[in-house]
């Protein structure tokens, strides 16, 4: 990950991010699409492991949330025992990855912080039968995690990437030549 990547991520998100570990997925133009975050930020738990940064996909997923797709997908997951188990497994896998990333730093954390990081799932959610945000699940799915919510979101999004000119508008530097 380069300094240019960090500048692009800042432009994509509209703010700097201090706990980026790496870029997990790039778009067809080479820009960051999903980043991996360290589970602590400013000394506090940060349970979002995968973060969707692509402005185009963020916008597309936001449209789904505005269309009440969170409630719809929750019902799909709750009514399908296989998907429900897959969702619980996705949360537990993310917790394992989060704890592995913390490594030795875990010994310096308070009991409450450790509890939060060990017991909350994707995005810090406590109730694994509910969905907090589609963006987090989609980011998880895009990096290859077995995330049924992210997979459903992917089916809803017809066009998976922006055109070159929209990408350039969002990031402020030409997509061509990357």
């Amino acid at each position: 990950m380069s300094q240019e990547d960090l500048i692009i991520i800042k432009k994509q998100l509209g703010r700097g991010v201090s706990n980026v570990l790496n870029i997990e997925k790039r778009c067809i133009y080479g820009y960051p699409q999903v980043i991996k975050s360290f589970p602590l930020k400013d000394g506090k738990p940060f349970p979002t492991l995968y973060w969707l940064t692509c402005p185009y996909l963020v916008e597309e997923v936001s449209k789904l949330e505005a269309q009440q797709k969170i409630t719809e997908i929750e019902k799909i997951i709750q009514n399908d025992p296989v998907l429900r188990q897959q969702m619980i497994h996705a949360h537990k896998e993310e917790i394992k990855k989060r704890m592995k990333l913390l490594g030795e730093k875990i010994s310096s954390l308070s009991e409450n912080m450790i509890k939060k990081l060990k017991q909350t799932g994707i995005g810090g959610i406590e109730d694994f039968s509910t969905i907090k945000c589609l963006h987090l699940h989609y980011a998880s799915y895009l990096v290859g995690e077995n995330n049924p919510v992210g997979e459903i979101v992917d089916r809803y999004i017809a066009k998976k990437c922006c055109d070159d000119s929209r990408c350039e508008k969002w990031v402020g530097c030409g997509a061509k030549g990357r």
Side-chain angles (χ1 to χ4, degrees):
M1 180 172 50
S2 68
Q3 189 62 35
E4 181 186 5
D5 287 327
L6 292 173
I7 292 167
I8 290 169
I9 291 166
K10 182 177 182 178
K11 287 179 180 183
Q12 288 176 319
L13 298 174
R15 64 187 176 285
V17 182
S18 60
N19 63 336
V20 178
L21 289 174
N22 61 329
I23 297 166
E24 291 290 299
K25 183 166 176 38
R26 293 179 182 272
C27 71
I28 62 171
Y29 303 113
Y31 290 116
Q33 195 172 55
V34 178
I35 58 173
K36 188 177 199 175
S37 302
F38 190 70
L40 294 175
K41 183 177 179 181
D42 302 325
K44 297 177 183 170
F46 189 83
T48 301
L49 192 57
Y50 301 110
W51 193 339
L52 188 64
T53 63
C54 169
Y56 170 76
L57 289 178
V58 167
E59 185 177 284
E60 291 299 302
V61 175
S62 293
K63 289 177 190 175
L64 295 174
E65 288 183 350
Q67 297 166 7
Q68 307 302 311
K69 294 297 183 186
I70 288 177
T71 303
E72 184 179 310
I73 296 171
E74 277 180 346
K75 287 178 185 172
I76 292 169
I77 299 291
Q78 289 168 357
N79 291 323
D80 185 322
V82 173
L83 291 179
R84 192 169 53 246
Q85 279 307 115
Q86 286 176 348
M87 192 66 257
I88 291 168
H89 182 74
H91 283 293
K92 289 181 178 180
E93 284 300 307
E94 187 140 330
I95 291 168
K96 282 183 195 173
K97 289 179 182 189
R98 185 186 307 143
M99 299 313 290
K100 185 175 180 181
L101 283 172
L102 284 168
E104 293 178 14
K105 290 188 184 224
I106 196 138
S107 62
S108 66
L109 302 178
S110 72
E111 271 187 52
N112 285 341
M113 288 174 71
I114 294 169
K115 182 179 178 183
K116 172 127 178 122
L117 292 165
K118 280 186 172 182
Q119 294 181 358
T120 59
I122 295 168
I125 198 157
E126 293 177 9
D127 181 354
F128 294 176
S129 67
T130 61
I131 299 169
K132 178 179 178 178
C133 166
L134 296 179
H135 299 84
L136 303 170
H137 291 280
Y138 194 44
S140 171
Y141 175 77
L142 287 174
V143 300
E145 299 295 327
N146 184 14
N147 187 313
V149 172
E151 186 174 354
I152 293 168
V153 168
D154 191 63
R155 285 189 227 135
Y156 285 135
I157 298 174
K159 188 178 172 194
K160 306 293 193 254
C161 65
C162 69
D163 61 35
D164 189 0
S165 62
R166 283 184 78 186
C167 197
E168 185 173 338
K169 173 191 83 161
W170 276 316
V171 213
C173 50
K176 292 188 187 238
R178 270 198 61 110

